[in-house]
Amino acid sequence: MSSFTAEELSKARRLKQQQAQQLAADGAWEEAVALNREILEGASNDVQALNRLGKALSELRRYGESYTAYSRAAELDPANQIAKRNLQRLEPLKDQSDEAAAAERRRTQARQSMFIEEIGKTRLTELLGLAPNETLAQMNSGDAVELRVEDKQLVVYSEDGLRLGHLEPRLAHRLITLIAGGNRYGAAVTAVEPGMLRVILREIYQHPSQAGRLSFPADTRPVAPRPYVRDSARLYTGEEDFSGDEDTDDDDTDADADAEDDEEFTEAEETTLDEPEEEQTI
C-alpha cells in the first residue's frame, strides 16, 4: 500500500490550487466548481477554496449555493473581506437561480494586463447613475465591460447588454473627444457592492493624430472623503476580487496635460468602443 509524504501531499494541494485559479482565469466555471469541491473534500476549512467556489457558482448564477459557500468562508474567517463583500452583493439574489440564462450569457474575464495601472494610460473610477442593486449584483470583479457614447455621456454596459452606469461628465467629455479622434479604450470591473461599481479604464490604441495627448492626465482636484476604505491595487486570480485605489497618478504633474484637459471639446457622434483584434479579451 503506497503512502505519500507530507511534502508530496502539500505539493499536490498547491497544484490543485493553481489548476483551480487557471480554470477561473479561463472562465471554465463548471470545471472550477468540481475542482474546488474536490479540494474542499480534503480540506473543508480552506477559505480560499470556498471563495473560489463561491465565485464559480456566482458566475453560473447558482446564487443560493454561492451565498452558502461565501457564508462558510466568512464563518471560518470573519475578517475575510472577499467573502463579506460577496455576501452583501448576493443578498438580493440568494433565493434566485438561473443556470439556463448563465449558459447563454456571454461573459468575458478581462486579461490580467488590463489591471496593471499605468500613468496617463489607465484610470480607476466609480460609475454614476448606477443600475439597481439587483443588476449590479450580477457583475463580478474582473468582468470586461463595454463603453458606449450616448449623447454627451459615456455609458458602461455589461457584455450581455445590462446598463450599469456612466462616467462622470468631465472624464467622459475628454474621452469622447479622444474617441472621435481615433483612440480606443477598454474597461473592466474592479469592485462591486450595493450602491457602488468601480471600473478601470485603459487606453488600448492611440491614434497618430492624438500623439502626445494623455488620455488620463493627473487630476489635482480635491477628492471628497469616502464612507469606506479602498483596497490597494492588485489582482486576485480566481479566488479574490479585483480592487484598487482610484486616481493613483494624482501626485504626478503634467502642466501641458492639465492645460489640455481644460480645452473645449467638440461633441462626438454615438459609437461603441470595440477593442482592436490584438487586444480582444479572452
Side-chain angles (χ1 to χ4, degrees):
M1 182 177 179
S2 62
S3 59
F4 298 94
T5 65
E7 182 179 352
E8 290 172 333
L9 290 172
S10 178
K11 184 177 180 180
R13 283 196 297 271
R14 287 198 302 272
L15 179 60
K16 285 185 177 180
Q17 290 168 356
Q18 292 169 359
Q19 291 172 337
Q21 291 170 359
Q22 188 58 53
L23 288 172
D26 293 341
W29 302 117
E30 291 285 3
E31 294 85 347
V33 168
L35 182 55
N36 283 298
R37 289 199 191 280
E38 182 180 330
I39 292 171
L40 289 165
E41 286 178 2
S44 60
N45 293 340
D46 187 331
V47 173
Q48 292 184 346
L50 286 164
N51 279 340
R52 289 193 300 265
L53 177 61
K55 165 77 170 175
L57 289 166
S58 176
E59 290 288 351
L60 293 169
R61 292 195 177 186
R62 292 159 63 175
Y63 299 126
E65 293 175 76
S66 177
Y67 190 88
T68 298
Y70 283 123
S71 295
R72 177 59 177 160
E75 179 183 343
L76 292 168
D77 180 8
N80 189 282
Q81 293 300 311
I82 303 306
K84 289 170 67 175
R85 284 198 298 270
N86 280 286
L87 285 173
Q88 188 178 27
R89 176 178 66 85
L90 290 169
E91 181 66 33
L93 300 176
K94 65 182 180 180
D95 296 324
Q96 301 179 28
S97 181
D98 193 354
E99 295 179 60
E104 297 174 0
R105 188 181 191 199
R106 183 168 63 91
R107 171 64 61 82
T108 301
Q109 288 283 289
R111 288 177 177 172
Q112 294 188 16
S113 59
M114 172 68 74
F115 300 90
I116 299 173
E117 295 187 49
E118 186 176 354
I119 293 174
K121 297 285 189 181
T122 62
R123 174 64 58 89
L124 279 153
T125 188
E126 292 176 14
L127 300 187
L128 304 179
L130 289 172
N133 287 332
E134 290 77 7
T135 298
L136 299 183
Q138 299 180 48
M139 303 304 297
N140 288 281
S141 298
D143 287 345
V145 292
E146 298 176 356
L147 304 175
R148 302 180 190 175
V149 177
E150 297 180 354
D151 193 14
K152 295 182 179 181
Q153 291 187 335
L154 197 53
V155 183
V156 179
Y157 284 84
S158 70
E159 287 190 311
D160 45 338
L162 299 176
R163 189 186 191 281
L164 304 175
H166 61 83
L167 302 188
E168 59 96 0
R170 185 167 179 261
L171 177 58
H173 191 198
R174 180 177 187 83
L175 293 186
I176 289 171
T177 301
L178 293 172
I179 291 164
N183 279 16
R184 297 183 185 180
Y185 298 87
V189 176
T190 65
V192 57
E193 59 188 57
M196 189 277 287
L197 191 144
R198 188 184 308 144
V199 299
I200 187 167
L201 308 170
R202 175 175 287 279
E203 176 194 291
I204 56 178
Y205 173 73
Q206 184 180 68
H207 192 273
S209 66
Q210 307 302 315
R213 302 182 69 182
L214 294 180
S215 287
F216 306 104
D219 188 348
T220 57
R221 293 175 302 165
V223 178
R226 299 289 184 179
Y228 54 84
V229 178
R230 298 179 185 277
D231 298 316
S232 59
R234 47 185 178 164
L235 172 67
Y236 300 96
T237 304
E239 63 191 44
E240 297 189 17
D241 285 340
F242 302 88
S243 60
D245 292 329
E246 185 175 5
D247 297 342
T248 57
D249 56 352
D250 285 351
D251 294 333
D252 297 289
T253 58
D254 188 317
D256 292 339
D258 287 337
E260 177 186 78
D261 197 35
D262 294 330
E263 293 174 356
E264 289 298 325
F265 298 130
T266 57
E267 182 176 345
E269 64 183 9
E270 182 171 338
T271 182
T272 299
L273 306 190
D274 296 320
E275 297 183 2
E277 183 174 350
E278 64 274 16
E279 290 291 340
Q280 287 291 332
T281 53
I282 57 176

